[in-house]
Amino acid sequence: MANGKQQNAVPSPRIHQLSIQKVFDGLSQNERLYAHHMSRAAWHGTRIILRQVSPESLGIYDFIMELYTCCAGDWKSVANEVQITSNELYAFLEYAATFLSNIGNYYGSGDQKFVPNLNIESLKKLATKSPKLKALYDEIAEPMLSTPPFSLGYPGDLAQSAYYPGPCIISKDEIALVSQALEGRLVFPENTRIRRVESAGTTFEVLQASVEKDEISQEFPLPDSKGIVRMHRGDHSQELARICSSLAAASNYAANETQREFLAQYIESFQTGSLHAYRDSQRTWIRDKAPRVENIFGFVEPYRDPHGTRAEFEGLVAISDTEETKALTKLVENSATFIKKLPWAEGTKENDEKGPFEKALFEPPDFASIHTLAYCSSIIFPGINLPNYNDIRQECGFKNVIISNRMSAESKKGDVCPFIDESEAETFQKHKYPAYYWWVVLHELLGHGTGKMMVQESEHKYNFDISNPPINPLTGEPIKSYYAPGQTWTGQFGDLATTVDECRAELVGAYLMDDEDLLELFGYTDGSDITAEDLTYNVYLQLGVDGLRGLQNFNIDDGKWGQAHSRAHFAMLKCLLTDGGGFMTIECSPSEQRLLVRVDRSKVVTHGKPALGSMLLRLHMYRCTADVTECRKYYEELSRVDGEYLEWRKIVLAKNQPKWVFVQANTFLDGDEVTLKEYEPTIEGVVQSWAEREV
């Protein structure tokens, strides 16, 4: 499968089954019914995500589903009937499985377009199976097979974004102006898209996701008075109606009143388009402690919006594992101890030794190990911390989950990492999973869960002493900036918000991964099979590897990063290389197309950790004080790809490794009985699982 200009051939995907049968069998009949209807609600979001990815994604999805229907899953008969080779059929199925797993024709991780390793004539032959296929072929063939666009991003010659649909290109400045106009009217952007309309004047249509429709709900001028904004409700109306219907059905089997309350709030938000109702749902959802069946719904993550504020729909339904959660509970109970060891708390007695840039009370969050039953998203994350609204996190708390049956993919032996020396390859693989697991745990709990934003809440009300502002540890002077009323983290930091937030969380996890008391909680000491020092060393090796791998998601054509985490990982690598006193180096041999990460084990704590701590403190302070200017100056330089890094990128691309494709189960309702069906971890199994979802 190809994925655009200057990209080497992508190896066949590695397919991982998100196994769920064992934990599903432990549910009561009522819990199964709740899980089934919630899962149906999640999967009904598929077509919303497709519409958010690219203009052609819905048509490609329908083409794959129609072809499956025409042959009833008997793929060999298709090859014989339309006279294509088995290799050509395999190439199409490989593309189909990758497309379905990513819910669109751009990788969920990286946002790069991928196209099938199939010529247009073979695709045309497949389309002869039915009149519907022929009509879909005419619609999708050209955009499905062509590059550019190469990636998602601000609309232009090289990139596209379905958050800004239509033939009329909208500029960055225009997006910012419309966003400013929405913010001024307290309209949250997460469930919107913006379309530029050519008319007598400059008109921008804001498409708001809701079941209810109206031609124009509001009309107002842009801040510069050079155009108007028209609000249109009813985007994704049909899909949201199906989601609401399934949520209403699930409410009949809810375990408690809290679940019924947030389901009603979900429905109100999806019906009306109100994100104020959605924010209420998040406050209620946080109160649903330790549910047997957990969920995440809504327009959640803004990773794919180039402007950094509009969010992709997401639906997750999962089953908690009580035994696995016990180990996480231990960490949660001791959280306050480790927060005091973070750079902004070191050396202070204020706020119970946590300092002024940390919440006074760290409310122990709900932290569960869960197994996903239905995860409708372009990225299957290994861990999640929500809600994404920082004011709600500070006022009400948050939840963390580790998705165990997704994390298990990291324990697979797979290919040897090409960036680790052969002499270390075996031990790196042995230590990788436990190091990665606990790094993710710390990322979610103490990375996303810490910090206090300096906020002016109203005209004369602040959440800090404005007459005696706290001292900024970066400058030694009182803070000079903070969030004004109505301002938010994503609204102020825009395209930097998600990548800086993820980078900060990754840094917190890595920074603490040498703490002996912390590692002992996890069962790692000097005497364990994998020692505490082994685990720490592996994390730093992974920092180097992830930083190199991140380069594959940097687009040299427009100088933009395609993925928030990739940019964060590269910035961390660059920090360690430039500020780590030589403790980490990258050995590069262009002639042998080789890059190797070298870490001096003796300097991890003395040089590596201080470098990470310095970077972490900067990002934390920029974030807490709304200092966008300094953050942009620092982070853009640290994540700049030039000089030797461009040479490294070429080698990284030449070492392309298989990407994960996930196959998930389905539930079916027969009367009051719910049955579970799992599918083989094959490309055929992936396609069958989606066909049987009937969405």
Side-chain angles (χ1 to χ4, degrees):
M1 185 158 35
N3 64 336
K5 183 180 176 184
Q6 296 181 328
Q7 302 289 320
N8 294 68
V10 178
S12 294
R14 186 178 294 134
I15 301 174
H16 179 70
Q17 183 191 62
L18 293 172
S19 181
I20 191 71
Q21 184 76 60
K22 183 178 177 182
V23 288
F24 182 83
D25 288 345
L27 296 180
S28 67
Q29 183 185 30
N30 206 68
E31 289 167 339
R32 291 185 185 194
L33 286 163
Y34 179 71
H36 167 74
H37 290 294
M38 292 293 282
S39 295
R40 292 305 298 163
W43 292 124
H44 282 312
T46 299
R47 300 180 78 84
I48 297 177
I49 297 172
L50 291 166
R51 194 176 292 113
Q52 291 178 306
V53 173
S54 69
E56 65 273 12
S57 282
L58 274 168
I60 296 172
Y61 176 83
D62 288 339
F63 187 93
I64 296 168
M65 295 297 101
E66 172 67 8
L67 191 55
Y68 178 91
T69 300
C70 287
C71 70
D74 183 0
W75 294 108
K76 288 183 180 178
S77 69
V78 174
N80 294 331
E81 187 177 337
V82 303
Q83 296 186 318
I84 63 173
T85 67
S86 57
N87 286 341
E88 289 171 324
L89 176 65
Y90 188 85
F92 175 80
L93 289 175
E94 195 174 78
Y95 173 83
T98 304
F99 175 95
L100 294 168
S101 185
N102 287 275
I103 314 187
N105 59 335
Y106 289 77
Y107 288 117
S109 180
D111 292 343
Q112 295 167 330
K113 186 176 183 179
F114 55 90
V115 300
N117 188 19
L118 193 73
N119 62 49
I120 197 163
E121 290 305 315
S122 298
L123 187 64
K124 194 172 185 178
K125 288 178 181 178
L126 288 170
T128 62
K129 284 288 291 177
S130 79
K132 182 178 179 180
L133 284 170
K134 175 64 169 65
L136 287 166
Y137 167 85
D138 292 339
E139 173 192 328
I140 67 169
E142 193 278 329
M144 176 182 179
L145 295 168
S146 65
T147 50
F150 300 113
S151 61
L152 299 177
Y154 283 108
D157 294 334
L158 303 176
Q160 69 170 347
S161 173
Y163 289 107
Y164 308 100
C168 302
I169 299 294
I170 186 171
S171 71
K172 296 181 192 178
D173 290 342
E174 289 168 336
I175 293 170
L177 273 174
V178 176
S179 298
Q180 186 182 338
L182 294 176
E183 183 180 296
R185 284 160 178 77
L186 299 180
V187 176
F188 295 104
E190 290 91 333
N191 67 344
T192 65
R193 301 191 294 158
I194 302 174
R195 181 166 58 206
R196 190 180 197 274
V197 179
E198 290 294 349
S199 58
T202 305
T203 302
F204 299 93
E205 295 178 343
V206 174
L207 312 177
Q208 190 174 46
S210 64
V211 177
E212 295 173 4
K213 297 182 179 181
D214 43 34
E215 189 54 36
I216 300 176
S217 61
Q218 295 182 60
E219 183 173 306
F220 43 85
L222 286 174
D224 64 0
S225 301
K226 294 180 180 177
I228 61 171
V229 176
R230 289 179 179 152
M231 296 286 297
H232 296 263
R233 291 191 309 159
D235 205 15
H236 317 302
S237 177
Q238 291 184 1
E239 292 81 16
L240 288 169
R242 295 188 186 102
I243 289 168
C244 288
S245 177
S246 291
L247 292 175
S251 185
N252 295 323
Y253 306 101
N256 53 55
E257 189 54 42
T258 303
Q259 290 182 357
R260 281 185 282 275
E261 185 178 351
F262 69 63
L263 288 174
Q265 290 164 330
Y266 285 164
I267 291 170
E268 180 188 353
S269 175
F270 298 154
Q271 285 278 357
T272 65
S274 168
L275 287 185
H276 295 279
Y278 182 71
R279 285 165 58 86
D280 287 341
S281 79
Q282 298 303 280
R283 295 183 178 96
T284 307
W285 174 73
I286 292 164
R287 301 202 317 266
D288 186 30
K289 301 292 186 183
R292 188 75 173 96
V293 179
E294 185 58 280
N295 78 94
I296 293 167
F297 272 88
F299 294 85
V300 178
E301 301 292 358
Y303 296 121
R304 307 189 93 171
D305 172 20
H307 193 65
T309 55
R310 285 160 188 85
E312 186 174 270
F313 186 83
E314 184 174 326
L316 180 146
V317 181
I319 304 167
S320 65
D321 187 301
T322 306
E323 286 303 310
E324 291 175 1
T325 297
K326 286 180 180 177
L328 301 176
T329 303
K330 258 197 257 182
L331 174 61
V332 171
E333 290 169 349
N334 289 274
S335 295
T337 301
F338 303 112
I339 291 172
K340 295 175 185 179
K341 298 183 180 184
L342 293 169
W344 52 91
E346 289 177 357
T348 181
K349 297 297 182 184
E350 188 178 345
N351 188 23
D352 190 28
E353 299 181 6
K354 296 194 294 290
F357 303 101
E358 191 57 67
K359 296 182 288 289
L361 180 64
F362 181 81
E363 290 283 356
D366 202 20
F367 201 162
S369 177
I370 61 176
H371 295 248
T372 178
L373 171 63
Y375 198 161
C376 187
S377 171
S378 61
I379 300 182
I380 308 296
F381 290 106
I384 300 172
N385 172 288
L386 286 174
N388 278 340
Y389 301 104
N390 282 301
D391 58 328
I392 297 178
R393 287 190 206 205
Q394 289 189 184
E395 294 164 12
C396 307
F398 53 91
K399 283 191 186 186
N400 293 299
V401 294
I402 291 294
I403 302 172
S404 185
N405 54 346
R406 163 61 182 89
M407 283 290 293
S408 63
E410 304 301 328
S411 67
K412 304 291 184 186
K413 291 293 182 185
D415 299 332
V416 173
C417 179
F419 308 119
I420 296 295
D421 190 276
E422 288 182 11
S423 64
E424 293 190 282
E426 187 176 338
T427 53
F428 175 77
Q429 192 64 39
K430 177 184 176 184
H431 302 166
K432 178 187 172 188
Y433 177 68
Y436 180 71
Y437 181 91
W438 291 110
W439 184 10
V440 171
V441 166
L442 293 170
H443 168 118
E444 300 300 343
L445 176 65
L446 300 180
H448 288 307
T450 55
K452 176 184 177 181
M453 307 299 211
M454 302 290 107
V455 178
Q456 179 185 2
E457 297 170 343
S458 58
E459 187 176 355
H460 299 296
K461 185 180 179 185
Y462 299 79
N463 70 346
F464 61 96
D465 185 353
I466 189 63
S467 62
N468 184 28
I471 301 299
N472 186 333
L474 296 178
T475 64
E477 299 176 357
I479 63 168
K480 293 181 170 62
S481 57
Y482 45 82
Y483 294 87
Q487 290 183 342
T488 63
W489 157 249
T490 53
Q492 292 306 107
F493 283 75
D495 61 311
L496 283 184
T498 52
T499 183
V500 170
D501 207 32
E502 292 302 331
C503 189
R504 180 188 164 283
E506 289 282 58
L507 284 163
V508 169
Y511 183 78
L512 292 172
M513 277 295 285
D514 75 307
D515 190 284
E516 293 180 2
D517 295 333
L518 184 66
L519 294 176
E520 189 173 356
L521 268 183
F522 304 156
Y524 298 97
T525 63
D526 290 342
S528 54
D529 177 35
I530 298 174
T531 68
E533 185 186 325
D534 289 336
L535 221 61
T536 303
Y537 177 66
N538 189 277
V539 164
Y540 280 86
L541 282 176
Q542 287 191 49
L543 282 166
V545 169
D546 288 348
L548 291 177
R549 282 184 172 146
L551 283 167
Q552 66 188 326
N553 291 326
F554 177 76
N555 190 324
I556 61 171
D557 295 298
D558 58 9
K560 300 296 183 185
W561 283 94
Q563 220 280 337
H565 297 78
S566 295
R567 185 177 184 181
H569 289 148
F570 177 73
M572 292 166 70
L573 168 62
K574 203 168 171 183
C575 165
L576 292 172
L577 293 174
T578 55
D579 299 338
F583 106 100
M584 178 183 285
T585 56
I586 303 297
E587 183 182 301
C588 177
S589 173
S591 61
E592 298 178 25
Q593 291 283 280
R594 188 181 70 216
L595 288 168
L596 293 177
V597 178
R598 303 285 191 190
V599 171
D600 184 338
R601 189 186 281 254
S602 69
K603 292 183 176 180
V604 165
V605 175
T606 57
H607 293 70
K609 179 168 183 168
L612 289 185
S614 175
M615 183 181 181
L616 172 56
L617 182 61
R618 281 177 175 268
L619 296 187
H620 182 76
M621 291 310 304
Y622 298 149
R623 180 175 180 268
C624 288
T625 62
D627 193 347
V628 184
T629 302
E630 287 302 312
C631 184
R632 188 170 294 281
K633 189 189 307 180
Y634 174 73
Y635 196 74
E636 287 187 346
E637 179 58 37
L638 202 56
S639 56
R640 189 184 311 283
V641 181
D642 54 13
E644 66 178 334
Y645 305 120
L646 290 172
E647 293 302 312
W648 293 2
R649 178 180 177 275
K650 292 177 184 177
I651 298 173
V652 170
L653 292 175
K655 301 286 185 182
N656 256 340
Q657 291 184 288
K659 293 183 180 290
W660 283 114
V661 161
F662 298 97
V663 59
Q664 301 188 56
N666 284 322
T667 54
F668 300 91
L669 189 61
D670 183 9
D672 285 336
E673 294 297 320
V674 179
T675 57
L676 180 83
K677 181 175 180 180
E678 294 192 319
Y679 299 84
E680 290 298 315
T682 62
I683 53 177
E684 294 88 350
V686 174
V687 177
Q688 182 186 357
S689 70
W690 280 94
E692 294 185 359
R693 279 179 197 125
E694 297 182 346
V695 293

